Amino acid sequence: MRLRGDVSDDEEEDAVMDPALLSSSSPNGAAVAAAVASPRLVVGYALTKKKVKSFLQPKLLLLARKKGIIFISIDETRPLSEQGPFDIILHKVTSKEWQQVLEDYHEVHPQVTILDPPNAIEHLNNRQSMLEEVADLSLSSFYEEVCTPRQVVIMKDPSSIPTAVAMAGLTLPLVAKPLVVDGTSKSHELSLAYDEASLSMLDPPLVLQEFVNHGGILFKVYIIGEAIQVVRRFSVPDVNTYDLLNNVGIYRLPRVSCAAASADHADLDPSIAELPPRPLLEKLSRELRGRLGLRLFNIDMIRELGGNDRYYIIDINYFPDEGQRSVSTRDVSLPV
């Protein structure tokens, strides 16, 4: 995570602390908390070990501490009401039990901000419901057109896929995505189907989306409250007539949206590299925050090649992994 201003190596070493030390369940927790001068904001977090490692970077902890923000680990084995007090609860735990814990806690402590409400996050765990809100938007009268690729959902029976695709009027090639997004690597495994005969080789439940040529560039739009940050990523190359005539079968696509695929400093055609207009992103962010009920998410957006500024939203992710992000945190004030 990049921060405004440099942080010296000595300061960074000071900021390297085991997040568990900030836990209210830790014997050192009170001492560490007391060392923070007049904290203005207490953030309780319930994250996986992987998420803690990627998100609670030393520089973030240092900058937060300077701004009077402390992060305290939530012990999921203890009643939430016995921990804190918190101003914000930041979480990425998907179990039904945890969802109920948060709902019960918020009823008693409505003043605490939950980032984000579990029922709103759940909307993004299904790629069919995920894009429904986008499909209902009508932004073309304001700025450039924003839409979603045409798609069909297949719940079971792979042999029915060719018929379902034909009835939906979809054009090959098609991008195949698992229907359920559950945080596992498997839920992010994408494939490209070139021909009708290969469709029956796919494994439902899944979503099939028409592939849209987009110059091989993906825009990842990170939304944190009203703040917006956009980065470029190399994506799947365009598909031409030669490709369609000379490729058959199912091709596994690489994980193109990770930070290693950054295209921010690449020598690109300006018409392809140009970022989506800021007014469009601001309008889109406001609409989606209102419709989804989320304040911490990102959208994956592409611009159709030669499509007169037609943009497609192809995915929405809640609290994306740090490995996928390259966001400049100009401040650490969290949306409340």
Side-chain angles (χ1 to χ4, degrees), residues 35-57:
V36 181
S38 303
R40 294 185 291 110
L41 201 67
V42 179
V43 181
Y45 64 89
L47 307 170
T48 63
K49 290 182 179 180
K50 178 182 177 182
K51 190 69 176 178
V52 168
K53 184 178 180 180
S54 66
F55 176 67
L56 293 179
Q57 296 288 314

Side-chain angles (χ1 to χ4, degrees), residues 39-111:
R40 294 185 291 110
L41 201 67
V42 179
V43 181
Y45 64 89
L47 307 170
T48 63
K49 290 182 179 180
K50 178 182 177 182
K51 190 69 176 178
V52 168
K53 184 178 180 180
S54 66
F55 176 67
L56 293 179
Q57 296 288 314
K59 289 184 179 180
L60 174 64
L61 293 175
L62 174 63
L63 184 56
R65 206 164 37 154
K66 287 182 175 180
K67 290 178 175 285
I69 302 171
I70 61 171
F71 289 87
I72 298 179
S73 176
I74 292 174
D75 184 349
E76 295 174 51
T77 67
R78 296 174 53 211
L80 189 54
S81 58
E82 296 179 2
Q83 304 178 63
F86 305 115
D87 297 297
I88 293 175
I89 291 180
L90 181 66
H91 71 103
K92 197 172 184 180
V93 178
T94 58
S95 69
K96 292 291 185 181
E97 293 78 10
W98 172 252
Q99 180 173 334
Q100 190 61 53
V101 166
L102 276 185
E103 291 175 355
D104 293 344
Y105 180 84
H106 199 246
E107 283 187 10
V108 181
H109 305 278
Q111 77 283 3

Side-chain angles (χ1 to χ4, degrees), residues 93-201:
V93 178
T94 58
S95 69
K96 292 291 185 181
E97 293 78 10
W98 172 252
Q99 180 173 334
Q100 190 61 53
V101 166
L102 276 185
E103 291 175 355
D104 293 344
Y105 180 84
H106 199 246
E107 283 187 10
V108 181
H109 305 278
Q111 77 283 3
V112 177
T113 298
I114 308 295
L115 288 179
D116 270 313
N119 60 338
I121 298 172
E122 194 172 15
H123 199 70
L124 300 186
N125 293 339
N126 180 296
R127 283 196 166 93
Q128 181 179 19
S129 61
M130 171 194 297
L131 297 181
E132 286 176 348
E133 297 296 345
V134 180
D136 291 340
L137 291 177
S138 179
L139 298 181
S140 57
S141 60
F142 294 95
Y143 305 105
E144 290 75 359
E145 182 179 359
V146 177
C147 52
T148 60
R150 294 199 301 165
Q151 66 179 36
V152 64
V153 176
I154 308 295
M155 297 303 299
K156 55 184 179 179
D157 188 9
S159 65
S160 70
I161 297 179
T163 300
V165 167
M167 291 181 63
L170 302 188
T171 302
L172 293 164
L174 299 174
V175 179
K177 304 179 178 182
L179 178 63
V180 176
V181 183
D182 57 9
T184 65
S185 58
K186 184 175 178 60
S187 68
H188 293 284
E189 290 180 354
L190 311 183
S191 301
L192 191 64
Y194 275 98
D195 64 297
E196 181 180 333
S198 65
L199 294 175
S200 298
M201 300 166 56

Side-chain angles (χ1 to χ4, degrees), residues 270-289:
S271 65
I272 293 175
E274 182 182 6
L275 296 176
R278 193 73 185 183
L280 171 65
L281 295 179
E282 291 173 350
K283 174 69 175 179
L284 180 61
S285 172
R286 285 194 301 270
E287 291 283 346
L288 287 180
R289 280 189 285 119

Side-chain angles (χ1 to χ4, degrees), residues 155-260:
M155 297 303 299
K156 55 184 179 179
D157 188 9
S159 65
S160 70
I161 297 179
T163 300
V165 167
M167 291 181 63
L170 302 188
T171 302
L172 293 164
L174 299 174
V175 179
K177 304 179 178 182
L179 178 63
V180 176
V181 183
D182 57 9
T184 65
S185 58
K186 184 175 178 60
S187 68
H188 293 284
E189 290 180 354
L190 311 183
S191 301
L192 191 64
Y194 275 98
D195 64 297
E196 181 180 333
S198 65
L199 294 175
S200 298
M201 300 166 56
L202 294 168
D203 185 22
L206 52 79
V207 173
L208 291 173
Q209 291 180 346
E210 282 188 332
F211 181 81
V212 178
N213 281 338
H214 52 285
I217 293 295
L218 169 78
F219 302 107
K220 295 193 77 69
V221 183
Y222 296 97
I223 297 168
I224 308 175
E226 295 182 358
I228 301 171
Q229 182 77 20
V230 188
V231 296
R232 302 178 189 86
R233 294 282 185 264
F234 285 114
S235 180
V236 181
D238 293 335
V239 175
N240 56 34
T241 303
Y242 178 86
D243 296 323
L244 288 173
L245 294 175
N246 291 275
N247 288 289
V248 294
I250 306 294
Y251 289 80
R252 179 69 58 83
L253 298 179
R255 187 74 179 273
V256 296
S257 63
C258 64

